Amino acid sequence: MRVLPIGMDSDEKYFWYLPAFENRLFCHSTFDSGPNIHDSLYDWTTVCEKESEWETEIKRLENSKKTKDVTLLKTINNFILPRVQASQQNILKAKRKAALVSEAPRKQSARLQEKALIKLEQERIETEIKHDEQRQKNIEQASRSQITRTARQIMAGLNNSNNNNN
C-alpha cells in the first residue's frame, strides 16, 4: 500500500498522517545532498501525538495567511482531526471500560462458589475442633490439678493425724 503526504506547509515540509502510528502527525524536510534525486536526505519529526500538540499545530496554521498553510489546515480539519478525535474517544472509552471491569466484582460459577463455601465450612469446623480440644485439655489439666491438690490435702491430713498419734 502506498501512502501519500496529506499536504505541505509554507516551509516546504511534507506532512504525513499514518493511522497505524496512533494518531501521530509526522513531517519531513528534504535536504539536497547531491545532484542525484536519490541523494536527498529526509529529516523526519513527530509534530503531533498528544491532544495539546494537535491544538498547537492547528493554532499555528490558523494564524498563517499563506495558501499552503491554509490548505493544510483545511485537510487536517476536514479529514484528519475527526479521525483523531474519534480514536481518542475510543481510547478513553476503552480506559473507562477497563477501569470499570477492574473495579467490578468478579463473577464466579455456582460450582466454584460451592467449593469456596465448603472450604470455609471445613476451616470453621477445624477451628471449632481445635478450640474443643484445647478446652478438653484445659479441663483435664484442671481436673489433674484438683486431684493433685485433693491428694495432697488428704496426705497432709493423714500426716497430721499420724503426728498427733505419736
Side-chain angles (χ1 to χ4, degrees):
M1 178 167 100
R2 184 174 177 186
V3 180
L4 298 173
I6 62 168
M8 181 188 331
D9 71 359
S10 58
D11 296 330
E12 302 295 319
K13 292 180 183 176
Y14 288 94
F15 285 79
W16 302 75
Y17 174 72
L18 306 171
F21 288 97
E22 300 175 1
N23 299 322
R24 293 183 182 143
L25 182 66
F26 299 96
C27 77
H28 75 76
S29 302
T30 307
F31 297 103
D32 190 15
S33 60
N36 190 345
I37 194 167
H38 299 291
D39 293 337
S40 298
L41 299 174
Y42 296 100
D43 179 30
W44 286 91
T45 57
T46 303
V47 178
C48 304
E49 182 175 3
K50 300 176 186 168
E51 188 174 347
S52 62
E53 293 169 339
W54 280 96
E55 291 170 1
T56 302
E57 185 61 22
I58 288 171
K59 285 179 186 173
R60 181 187 74 83
L61 292 172
E62 285 174 342
N63 292 333
S64 176
K65 303 288 185 215
K66 298 178 182 175
T67 307
K68 288 182 180 181
D69 291 341
V70 171
T71 305
L72 180 61
L73 177 63
K74 285 180 184 176
T75 304
I76 290 174
N77 280 335
N78 293 335
F79 301 107
I80 307 303
L81 204 54
R83 289 181 180 181
V84 170
Q85 290 169 340
S87 178
Q88 288 174 343
Q89 286 176 353
N90 289 339
I91 290 169
L92 286 174
K93 283 180 185 177
K95 285 181 181 180
R96 279 190 228 119
K97 185 177 180 180
L100 289 174
V101 167
S102 68
E103 292 173 3
R106 291 181 57 198
K107 293 182 179 179
Q108 283 187 331
S109 68
R111 182 182 63 79
L112 291 176
Q113 285 178 336
E114 186 177 331
K115 234 179 171 179
L117 288 173
I118 290 171
K119 185 177 179 181
L120 285 172
E121 184 64 19
Q122 286 175 340
E123 289 173 356
R124 187 190 64 77
I125 290 171
E126 288 173 4
T127 303
E128 216 173 277
I129 289 171
K130 286 180 183 177
H131 284 279
D132 286 346
E133 288 174 352
Q134 187 62 40
R135 267 189 240 120
Q136 188 64 31
K137 285 180 184 177
N138 290 345
I139 291 170
E140 288 173 5
Q141 190 176 10
S143 295
R144 276 191 237 125
S145 296
Q146 185 65 31
I147 291 171
T148 305
R149 254 185 269 124
T150 306
R152 284 187 186 146
Q153 288 172 351
I154 293 173
M155 293 299 280
L158 287 175
N159 283 340
N160 286 340
S161 66
N162 280 343
N163 287 339
N164 289 340
N165 286 342
N166 287 341

